[in-house]
Amino acid sequence: MSALERLLPPVSAIARRAAAAILEVYAGSFTVRRKDDASPLTAADLAAHDVIVAGLRELTPQWPVLSEEAAALPWAERSQWGCYWLVDPLDGTREFVKRNGEFTVNIALIENHVSVLGVILAPVTGRLYRACRGSGAQVETAPGALPEAVSTRSVASPLTIAGSRSHGGPGDEAIRAALGPYERIALGSSLKFCLIAEGHADLYVRRGPTSEWDTAAGQCVLEEAGGAVLDLAGKPFRYNRGESLINPSFIAVGDPAVDWTGKLAPFA
């Protein structure tokens, strides 16, 4: 068993503890605050952050943790990191507020700008997706369930395109139409990556802004399931690239053999 594989069980356990903290807030009443970028923030985001940061620091004190809910760290400091944890304690806060269950806990390990370990947990269903470099992707369908391997599919016709439930712009329909006949599934948070990883969808295109913690865990899970996360020039996503933590536009795909970037070239 590799060193990365040995990390998967304890990181998965940390994610489940964070999910328990989230569900405790979810079960009651809660207030919604607005961050500087107008995105919502709840007590569940902060509770999950505290659980995850404490757990990761105890597990691997040698590696820093970058979380959405922590103070921004300057590039002068981050540029020195070779290996670090990248965390979204509650991805899909808008879905949490709507109480539709489509939110996740995202934990990724970044090594030399590459996502090498990813854990995604959907607190409401208990489904946990996990992967690390070279070991494939798995899903635990419930707490205590044995992990099952997941893999992407060859491209289907018509395409199944996963799309954001709470984000999107007027140009999205033109992009989808350029890809040919399709069916669309609207879904919140990083669950779109999981849907492709399990072979239930073919791609997810995102042109609006996302942050690095939104995609890192999903990228590892999807890549280890056989897919890819690419910018619109066809290059694999990389992390900790500079001062900004905002991602470029991207496409997440299940079948990398298709020339997706060629199809999307007019929109790049």
Side-chain angles (χ1 to χ4, degrees):
M1 181 182 290
S2 71
L4 286 175
E5 286 179 285
R6 286 194 291 272
L7 284 172
L8 282 174
V11 175
S12 297
I14 291 169
R16 290 206 180 276
R17 293 201 298 273
I22 289 170
L23 290 176
E24 185 174 347
V25 177
Y26 195 61
S29 60
F30 53 85
T31 59
V32 182
R33 293 155 44 197
R34 294 287 167 179
K35 295 188 280 189
D36 292 343
D37 63 357
S39 61
L41 177 69
T42 72
D45 298 80
L46 300 176
H49 164 85
D50 290 343
V51 169
I52 294 168
V53 171
L56 292 177
R57 285 178 175 166
E58 181 179 357
L59 179 65
T60 55
Q62 72 274 28
W63 295 334
V65 181
L66 179 60
S67 168
E68 179 180 10
E69 306 310 339
L73 296 170
W75 170 238
E77 179 179 347
R78 289 189 288 108
S79 64
Q80 305 303 308
W81 294 354
C83 193
Y84 69 99
W85 295 103
L86 182 56
V87 174
D88 192 340
L90 202 172
D91 182 26
T93 303
R94 287 180 175 85
E95 315 310 326
F96 177 90
V97 171
K98 295 174 185 176
R99 296 184 184 271
N100 64 17
E102 295 177 3
F103 50 88
T104 57
V105 174
N106 298 348
I107 303 175
L109 181 65
I110 308 300
E111 183 177 34
N112 297 324
H113 309 284
V114 176
S115 180
V116 298
L117 180 150
V119 170
I120 296 174
L121 171 61
V124 169
T125 66
R127 291 178 73 85
L128 183 146
Y129 301 83
R130 66 185 204 178
C132 65
R133 182 173 53 190
S135 298
Q138 302 172 320
V139 61
E140 296 177 1
T141 57
L146 291 176
E148 303 172 10
V150 297
S151 61
T152 61
R153 69 186 186 190
S154 298
V155 65
S157 181
L159 295 172
T160 299
I161 300 179
S164 176
R165 187 176 295 282
S166 297
H167 301 275
D172 290 358
E173 177 59 34
I175 293 175
R176 291 191 289 265
L179 296 171
Y182 70 90
E183 299 172 350
R184 183 173 183 266
I185 299 176
L187 200 60
S189 72
S190 58
L191 291 172
K192 295 179 283 293
F193 295 96
C194 302
L195 196 70
I196 301 169
E198 287 193 281
H200 299 316
D202 298 294
L203 74 157
Y204 163 42
V205 182
R206 181 62 185 266
R207 297 187 76 202
T210 59
S211 297
E212 293 188 358
W213 44 70
D214 294 316
T215 58
Q219 179 171 1
C220 185
V221 169
L222 182 52
E223 287 181 343
E224 287 299 317
V229 179
L230 311 168
D231 65 24
L232 297 190
K235 297 179 180 178
F237 253 31
R238 294 294 180 261
Y239 296 89
N240 206 30
R241 306 176 310 275
E243 188 69 48
S244 175
L245 293 168
I246 301 299
N247 289 323
S249 299
F250 67 87
I251 180 170
V253 303
D255 187 348
V258 176
D259 182 18
W260 299 110
T261 55
K263 294 176 181 289
L264 293 172
F267 305 96

